[in-house]
């Protein structure tokens, strides 16, 4: 059996949790030492107390080091046993929506670290058909009208985020795109903790593979929510000369922070403040462990000299929690995560159109009748039915 025939390791939560607890433990120990150091430092300045304080400090350091080391060894042993039990009990069946959602959330926060350590828990980029738990086989896809629509989820989500509760009465964009326009619908699942540029390059490869497997494909429509819109747009920048780009008609971005997210900017400011003090610096070190994907949201689409291909129509939809989106409050809070000036960054020009909705939150954009009306209108513009 060669290395390509070996079965892939089953994803396990225990090793990733063990590594995370190990790193947190070191930062907790550093914070403990910083606090104790300030206390003993002050005592050693007091005449007559300096020598006893130094002795107590050395004893304290020895004990605390032993305690933290014991904690780490205990965690390693317990989680090692847990990992072996988890692998023994794990099923070969693909994860269902609930477990897939848990993995997506973990990847959103730590996905770059999981990928760097080769963890099986790291999410590979794959295309899925609706309701399927195994990745689509590209050359077996049925695309009767030679049109395909691909939905890209946002940070810490997966393809299931696009599917509303069947009893909610909310619109299912994928079903409607297929029913109203005849597109074959696919959903992208990807590791949202990786850098946006890396995911964009991988997505470009996936689209190229799709075109190679489906030589009759004539049109690609992309719909991205939040980070998904940024991944798709950067893929457009990187797709020059590739077959899939020539077939791509439109990209619709729903609440995508083209100019960055204010929450991540606040996170960066908080990190700088935490790093400014010895006592809080270990907390800052933990905060800096958030994924590259999250950190990329500071700048949004990025500051690279990217260029949108002229053949692809761009559509941007933003939202505000406030009913009056033009009010100062609406402009300040946006949809709770993305402000209108970021979601609607581009000026209106020949192949770009924008829209804004009030009284709508960031995640609610995934299943809203008004959002669907915008999507439907945009797709219908210039749509040529297949003969």
């Amino acid at each position: 059996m060669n290395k390509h025939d070996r079965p892939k390791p089953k994803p396990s939560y225990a090793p990733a949790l063990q590594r995370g607890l190990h790193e947190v433990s070191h930062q907790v120990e550093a914070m403990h030492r910083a606090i104790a150091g300030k206390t003993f430092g002050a005592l050693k300045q007091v005449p007559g107390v300096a020598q006893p304080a130094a002795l107590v400090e050395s004893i304290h350091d020895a004990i605390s080091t032993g305690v933290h080391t014991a904690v780490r060894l205990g965690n390693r042993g317990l989680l090692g046993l847990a990992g072996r039990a988890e692998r023994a009990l794990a099923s070969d069946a693909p994860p269902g929506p609930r477990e897939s959602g848990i993995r997506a959330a973990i990847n959103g926060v730590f996905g770059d670290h999981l990928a760097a350590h080769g963890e099986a828990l790291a999410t590979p980029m794959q295309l899925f058909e609706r309701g399927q738990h195994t990745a689509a086989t590209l050359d077996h896809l049925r695309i009767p009208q030679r049109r395909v629509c691909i939905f890209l989820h946002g940070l810490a989500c997966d393809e299931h985020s696009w599917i509303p509760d069947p009893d909610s009465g909310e619109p299912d964009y994928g079903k409607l795109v297929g029913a109203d326009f005849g597109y074959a619908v696919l959903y992208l699942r990807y590791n949202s903790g990786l850098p946006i540029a890396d995911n964009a390059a991988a997505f470009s490869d996936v689209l190229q593979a799709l075109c190679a497997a489906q030589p009759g494909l004539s049109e690609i429509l992309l719909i991205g929510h939040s980070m998904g819109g940024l991944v798709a747009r950067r893929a457009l920048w990187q797709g020059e000369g590739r077959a899939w780009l020539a077939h791509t008609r439109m990209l619709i971005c729903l609440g995508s922070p083209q100019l960055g997210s204010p929450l991540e900017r606040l996170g960066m400011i908080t990190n700088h403040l935490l790093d400014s003090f010895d006592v809080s610096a270990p907390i800052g070190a933990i905060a800096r462990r958030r994924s590259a994907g999250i950190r990329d949201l500071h700048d949004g689409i990025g500051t690279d000299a990217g260029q949108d291909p002229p053949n692809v129509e761009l559509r941007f939809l933003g939202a505000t929690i406030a009913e009056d989106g033009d009010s100062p409050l609406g402009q300040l809070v946006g949809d709770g995560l993305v402000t209108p000036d970021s979601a609607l960054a581009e000026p209106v020009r020949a192949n770009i159109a924008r829209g804004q909705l009030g009284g709508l939150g960031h995640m609610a954009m995934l299943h809203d009748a008004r959002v669907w009306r915008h999507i439907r209108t945009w797709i219908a513009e210039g749509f040529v039915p297949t003969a």
Side-chain angles (χ1 to χ4, degrees):
M1 178 183 292
N2 63 44
K3 65 179 181 180
H4 299 293
D5 297 327
R6 293 172 189 163
K8 293 181 180 179
K10 297 175 183 177
S12 174
Y13 296 91
L17 182 58
Q18 177 179 320
R19 185 175 291 109
L21 288 175
H22 186 79
E23 293 175 357
V24 169
S25 172
H26 275 295
Q27 300 306 328
V28 169
E29 182 179 6
M31 185 167 63
H32 183 176
R33 283 186 174 276
I35 295 171
K38 286 189 175 297
T39 302
F40 286 117
L43 289 174
K44 286 188 289 186
Q45 301 302 315
V46 180
V49 179
Q51 190 169 355
L55 177 61
V56 173
E57 182 181 25
S58 64
I59 297 172
H60 165 273
D61 289 348
I63 293 174
S64 67
T65 298
V67 169
H68 287 290
T69 300
V71 169
R72 284 193 287 273
L73 289 173
N75 285 337
R76 185 183 305 170
L78 288 173
L79 289 172
L81 291 173
R84 286 194 287 274
E86 184 181 18
R87 287 189 293 274
L89 295 174
S91 168
D92 287 327
R98 180 171 297 180
E99 185 179 352
S100 177
I102 293 172
R103 293 184 186 181
I106 294 172
N107 275 261
V109 182
F110 303 113
D112 54 341
H113 306 297
L114 294 175
H117 287 94
E119 297 282 4
L121 194 59
T123 299
M125 180 173 286
Q126 295 172 312
L127 288 171
F128 287 81
E129 294 182 90
R130 179 187 174 79
Q132 299 299 310
H133 300 321
T134 55
T137 304
L138 299 186
D139 55 355
H140 289 168
L141 290 172
R142 293 185 65 255
I143 307 179
Q145 297 193 37
R146 303 197 303 161
R147 290 186 167 107
V148 65
C149 176
I150 300 176
F151 287 84
L152 295 88
H153 62 75
L155 174 69
C157 295
D158 66 5
E159 71 278 7
H160 298 99
S161 65
W162 292 103
I163 313 299
D165 186 317
D167 299 323
S168 68
E170 296 170 335
D172 184 324
Y173 306 155
K175 269 188 175 181
L176 292 168
V177 165
D180 290 4
F181 298 98
Y183 285 90
V185 175
L186 296 171
Y187 299 86
L188 185 74
R189 180 192 294 178
Y190 66 96
N191 180 347
S192 60
L194 293 176
I196 290 173
D198 290 1
N199 274 324
F203 184 46
S204 178
D205 290 341
V206 166
L207 291 173
Q208 191 70 5
L210 175 62
C211 287
Q214 296 283 337
L217 189 64
S218 63
E219 183 183 321
I220 298 172
L221 169 66
L222 304 175
I223 301 179
H225 175 246
S226 194
M227 180 187 282
L230 304 184
V231 169
R233 192 173 179 198
R234 285 200 63 120
L236 296 179
W237 292 3
Q238 300 172 15
E240 184 177 0
R242 309 197 82 176
W244 70 264
L245 187 57
H247 297 315
T248 303
R249 176 195 166 202
M250 180 182 292
L251 165 62
I252 299 174
C253 295
L254 308 178
S256 297
Q258 307 291 336
L259 300 183
S261 168
L263 281 183
E264 174 53 21
R265 292 179 193 140
L266 179 60
M268 293 287 286
I269 293 171
T270 303
N271 243 143
H272 287 314
L273 289 174
L274 290 171
D275 291 342
S276 300
F277 303 96
D278 293 341
V279 173
S280 58
I283 301 176
I286 295 172
R288 282 196 305 277
R289 297 295 291 174
R290 65 191 184 280
S291 70
I294 293 177
R295 295 196 302 273
D296 275 355
L297 293 178
H298 181 275
D299 296 319
I301 195 62
T303 56
D304 315 40
Q307 185 171 357
D308 298 312
N311 65 297
V312 180
E313 300 172 54
L314 301 179
R315 302 292 182 261
F316 301 107
L317 187 63
T320 65
I321 295 173
E323 291 291 342
D324 180 5
D326 295 325
S327 67
L329 177 61
Q331 294 297 309
L332 177 64
V333 301
D335 63 17
L337 292 176
V338 180
T339 55
D341 67 319
S342 184
L344 308 176
E346 302 298 325
V348 177
R349 59 179 191 260
N351 66 339
I352 290 181
R354 304 186 295 176
Q356 182 175 311
L357 296 170
L360 191 64
H362 188 70
M363 297 305 294
M365 296 187 78
L366 288 162
H367 316 118
D368 185 84
R370 294 173 297 162
V371 172
W372 166 243
R373 284 196 289 272
H374 273 277
I375 293 173
R376 193 185 192 289
T377 298
W378 284 332
I379 297 175
E381 295 170 351
F383 180 81
V384 180
T386 301

